[in-house]
């Protein structure tokens, strides 16, 4: 069963109670010591039928084991080095083939958003995975609001460039800004969200504050963080990892246990937090979201068009 139909179930129901209680007091304690404001705001969302019923990873797993090369390439670099990043004020430039281009402030985006909790499996191309209780809204809602023109076929995204706040950008690890893209039908799929929170709190810096993409049937690198620009285009946009090594990182990069990475198998994955002796789990086609997205790729050979 790919996705639990779990309307009415709160994530706390699927998290061991002791974990939930200690996490709760931790968050409350931390929050009261900080200044009020969007960065510490409550960020709750309505439950969704798209959530998995698998237990979410702990807040600690999700916020200390990250990929965010703007803060360094080590898994602990984003949590260690993102303390000076300022996710507010924030605006997203939306341009290209849209009726209402412009700079949209985060408050304005949130005021017009129907926030939901989406508990999604998350599978990195490096063959580890987690389950994350995101709070966010469907990208399609924002795109419909700005009016996508009929000639648009792709959506391009860019991460902010702020070397003074993002030490990894002072090095040439990647070609900044980090860029990603989706085909328009992928962007409009209801599973595709812009996340602004996790575990009922505003998104931590290391997870892509204040707004990041989450595309749960694709490898994690497609889920671009700290977005400042969304462009509607008629051509496939250049994307960071694909530009760096197209043989290893395709534009589509749908999770696919049958298409190995040239340097490792994609048939199974390590669930982060499972402990050293935990068994690897089988990787699922489209990360288990095939019922929702397989039809997007009818007629496409995903072994060649990866
Ligand atoms: N801007 C930006 N976005 C990014 C990355 C990055 O380095 N820079 N890493 C990607 C990769 S490889 C993964 S697996 C996920 C990790 O998200 P998480 O740290 O919230 O688990 O973010 C993706 N988005
Ligand atoms: Mo990744």
């Amino acid at each position: 069963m790919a996705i639990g139909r779990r309307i009415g179930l709160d994530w706390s129901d699927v998290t061991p109670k002791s974990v939930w209680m200690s996490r709760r007091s931790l968050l409350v304690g931390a929050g009261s010591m900080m200044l009020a404001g969007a960065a510490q705001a409550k960020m709750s969302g309505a439950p969704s039928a798209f959530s998995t019923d698998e237990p979410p990873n702990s807040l600690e797993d999700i916020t200390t084991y990250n990929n965010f090369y703007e803060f360094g390439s080590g898994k602990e670099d984003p949590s260690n080095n993102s303390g000076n990043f300022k996710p507010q004020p924030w605006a997203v430039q939306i341009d290209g083939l849209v009726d209402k281009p412009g700079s949209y402030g985060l408050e304005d985006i949130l005021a017009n958003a129907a926030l939901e909790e989406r508990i999604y499996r998350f599978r990195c191309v490096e063959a580890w995975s987690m389950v994350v209780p995101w709070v966010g809204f469907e990208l399609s809602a924002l795109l419909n609001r700005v009016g996508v023109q009929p000639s648009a076929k792709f959506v391009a995204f860019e991460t902010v460039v702020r070397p003074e706040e993002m030490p990894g950008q002072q090095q040439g690890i990647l070609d900044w800004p980090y860029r990603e893209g989706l085909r328009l039908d992928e962007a409009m799929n209801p599973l595709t969200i812009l996340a602004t929170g996790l575990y009922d709190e505003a998104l931590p810096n290391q997870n892509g504050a204040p707004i990041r993409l989450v595309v749960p049937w694709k490898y994690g690198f497609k889920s671009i963080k700290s977005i400042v620009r969304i462009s509607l285009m008629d051509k496939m946009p250049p994307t960071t990892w694909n530009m760096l090594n197209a043989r290893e990182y395709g534009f589509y990069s749908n999770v696919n246990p049958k298409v190995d990475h040239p340097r490792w198998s994609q048939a199974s994955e390590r669930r982060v937090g499972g402990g050293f002796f935990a068994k690897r789990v089988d990787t699922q086609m489209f990360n288990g979201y095939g019922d929702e997205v397989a039809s997007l790729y009818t007629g496409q050979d995903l072994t060649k068009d990866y």
Side-chain angles (χ1 to χ4, degrees), residues 66-78 81 126 168 171 173 241:
N66 300 99
N67 275 334
F68 199 169
Y69 279 30
E70 282 83 343
F71 295 107
S73 56
K75 292 289 179 278
E76 295 183 0
D77 287 344
N81 301 337
E126 298 162 338
Q171 301 164 264
I173 331 175
W241 285 99

Side-chain angles (χ1 to χ4, degrees), residues 196-214:
T196 52
L198 62 82
Y199 267 126
D200 281 348
E201 300 290 329
L203 213 54
N205 288 347
Q206 58 267 42
N207 295 93
I211 185 165
R212 62 91 57 87
L213 186 69
V214 180

Side-chain angles (χ1 to χ4, degrees), residues 67 124-125 220-221:
N67 275 334
C124 175
V125 73
F221 68 86

Side-chain angles (χ1 to χ4, degrees), residues 174-196:
L174 293 175
D175 183 21
W176 318 112
Y178 192 100
R179 292 163 216 261
E180 260 308 332
L182 296 172
R183 207 168 59 194
L184 186 60
D185 59 346
E186 298 176 322
M188 298 303 271
N189 188 277
L191 284 177
T192 304
I193 60 167
L194 287 172
T196 52

Side-chain angles (χ1 to χ4, degrees), residues 5 33 45 48 51 60 76 83 100 113 115 127 179 203 222-223 225 257 272:
R5 301 290 159 193
M33 290 188 295
S48 166
S51 287
E60 189 182 347
E76 295 183 0
K100 289 175 265 182
L115 291 183
R179 292 163 216 261
L203 213 54
K222 299 294 293 181
S223 293
K225 296 175 168 181
V272 171

Side-chain angles (χ1 to χ4, degrees), residues 123 219 254-260 265-268 282-287:
R123 171 51 158 92
Y219 291 123
N254 295 311
V255 175
N256 189 340
K258 297 208 175 73
V259 176
D260 286 338
S265 166
Q266 294 292 25
S268 69
D282 287 343
T283 290
Q284 302 176 57
M285 186 66 201
F286 298 117
N287 201 23

